[in-house]
Amino acid sequence: MAEDLTVTRGLVIPGSELRERFSRSSGPGGQHVNTTDSRVELSFDLANSPSVPEWLRTRMLDRLATRLVNGVLTIAASEQRAQLQNRAAARERLAALLRDAAAAPPPVRRVTKPSRGAKERRIAAKKRRGVTKRNRRASPDD
């Protein structure tokens, strides 16, 4: 049985809720890849998980909507030759994805407008620049 997956300090996914599938991997490894099931597909049923609180589940389902198939999040890893390394990579990617989805939303931006002093400084800088450019022009007397 797989060990628990720690997403954040407050959210730990029990190993019993994770499903692993193994298959033959393409890519580097020569004849080795033709004989071993090193590709890992790690699945987590987010929609029906009892370990995720309801308020957090709705936020995560919202943010991961494009990645879910019937409420199940699936990660595939096949970068390494060894199944054990691919399992670790898939678990780490799943944890990072869930961590990002569980993060609190950013604070709402308060709309502001430039101060009077900032407007005046901007206009003064534009005038100085205009004078500089005007002084570069060849005078009609030349």
Side-chain angles (χ1 to χ4, degrees):
M1 186 67 48
E3 68 247 15
D4 298 348
L5 179 67
T6 304
V7 178
T8 62
R9 281 185 294 163
L11 179 60
V12 177
I13 311 281
S16 59
E17 291 186 30
L18 300 173
R19 299 280 171 252
E20 289 179 328
R21 272 187 56 218
F22 306 104
S23 61
R24 300 235 166 101
S25 173
S26 63
Q31 293 175 347
H32 173 71
V33 296
N34 299 330
T35 59
T36 57
D37 293 338
S38 59
R39 182 174 187 266
V40 177
E41 279 187 22
L42 185 64
S43 299
F44 172 60
D45 190 357
L46 179 60
N48 300 316
S49 174
S51 60
V52 180
E54 188 60 40
W55 62 272
L56 187 57
R57 182 180 302 122
T58 54
R59 178 190 298 172
M60 293 171 88
L61 286 171
D62 237 17
R63 290 187 179 172
L64 295 171
T66 58
R67 301 263 332 228
L68 298 174
V69 177
N70 297 330
V72 177
L73 179 63
T74 303
I75 303 289
S78 61
E79 301 83 38
Q80 307 295 326
R81 281 185 63 178
Q83 185 187 85
L84 200 59
Q85 291 172 326
N86 282 332
R87 288 175 76 183
R91 291 173 67 82
E92 184 52 45
R93 264 193 271 158
L94 179 65
L97 206 59
L98 293 175
R99 198 175 302 119
D100 290 345
V108 178
R109 180 185 179 276
R110 289 175 44 199
V111 179
T112 59
K113 55 185 180 181
S115 66
R116 194 170 119 205
K119 287 181 190 173
E120 289 172 359
R121 286 189 298 274
R122 183 178 138 271
I123 299 299
K126 285 170 72 80
K127 286 188 187 297
R128 277 194 309 275
R129 185 75 178 142
V131 169
T132 303
K133 288 186 170 190
R134 204 173 316 117
N135 289 340
R136 286 184 191 151
R137 288 189 201 142
S139 61
D141 300 335
D142 293 339

